[in-house]
Amino acid sequence: MLGTFKAVAPYLKFNPKKVAIDNGVFKLHYRWTFAILMVATILVSSRQYIGEHIKCISDTINQHVIESFCFFTTTFTVGKHMNESSLKSGAIPHPGVGPYVQEVDEVKHHAYYQWVPFVLFGQALMFYLPHLLWKSWEKKRIYNLVNGLKMIGITRHIGKAMTVGGRDIPSMIETDTRVNDIKESFKNRLSCNEFWGGKLVLCEVLNLANIVLQIYITNKFLGGQFLRLGLWFLREDWQGPMDSLDIVFPKVTKCEFHKFGPSGSIQNHDTLCVMALNVINEKIYVFLWFWFLIVLIASTAAVIWRFFTLFCYRSLRFNQFIFKYASPSAGRLDSDILEAVIRKCNFANWMFLYFLASNMAGFLFRKVLEMIVLDFNLKLRNDEAVDNEANKQKMREEIKYRPIDEVDGALIPKEKLK
């Protein structure tokens, strides 16, 4: 059994040292929900756990023929026989199964079961798509800058490079070069990083839109009964011969097969079919009802939080809180340094800085901030020097070309004329 689900195992691995380019809610979509839907797809596609998907009883029709026909067309249940009282009295053998009058009694056809693996697989791909889109936009920028720097504390006191758990940890000499590269990369992005954060926000909104879409699709797929499925499950007492899930996932259904008789007249063969697949289907969709609800709430909260950060990312108090969460080992960051860096950032730069903090050792992140502020101060002093020299030159030019009778020597310091 474990070998069957081996293909899904890589998506269930949890590696806290891996470079993070998104948040936990994002992972609920492309990692956990994707893996859950893939496992469900394998379950409903495999016969080794539940046997044949459908088994039908017929007096005269070949069993293989009637089972193939009923599985690939539709089976049905009779609405008036979805009655637990009739079932207890022995009037009907199974929920929804009993005599009926065509064109008079309401019947409900069940055709979804043959499409379940395809729908589940398609939904799994839809949950992975925003992550794939974000990876194509992000292009390993964060990874290339900070890979190995989260565990640099291991080599901090040793001074040489190491390999831990298959990951290369740079030496402190290499780390200094990497930190300088990070500082230069961040400075370069201050003027050309307008859309990086916006694309991440777009993918988070796509995650929310996708979970809403998948709930709608699942509800339509199950005949409009998915939205109430979890509530039915919670209210069910599981004591009687019939439960509320039998309405959506009947275990026994009717099927009719028509063929020509010996004299050329059409014969109607009434068949009873056991839907073994629905034993698995009901468990899967009840679980998905609760899981989709959790993902919907988490995704909504994540989008609200993201828009909250959009309005608060310039707040010093907010940044002290958020960077303490992103990099706990960094401790309390210097307010002046943090404010000087944040003042230069737009929202995309701030997001980039946040992911740097999330993937670096705390003392290195503090060092990056200090180096950025130092460069800002050097540039400011250089700009002021250039401005002063430019002002002096402008004054010289004005004096040089001013008419002689407008020049009041008493008002012009001698050093200005040199």
Side-chain angles (χ1 to χ4, degrees), residues 178-188 368 371-373 375:
R178 295 270 296 276
V179 167
N180 187 66
D181 290 341
I182 291 172
K183 181 259 297 182
E184 291 298 327
S185 177
F186 180 76
K187 283 175 55 185
N188 294 336
V368 169
M371 292 174 67
I372 291 172
V373 172
D375 276 17

Side-chain angles (χ1 to χ4, degrees), residues 150-162:
K150 198 167 188 177
M151 300 172 65
I152 194 63
I154 298 175
T155 61
R156 186 178 182 182
H157 303 290
I158 299 176
K160 62 180 181 179
M162 299 177 62

Side-chain angles (χ1 to χ4, degrees), residues 6 25 36 40 53 72 165 187 196 243 247 296 302 358 380:
K6 189 176 181 180
V25 176
I36 287 169
H53 292 170
F72 292 127
K187 283 175 55 185
W196 191 90
D243 60 66
I247 300 173
L296 176 62
S358 301
L380 180 61

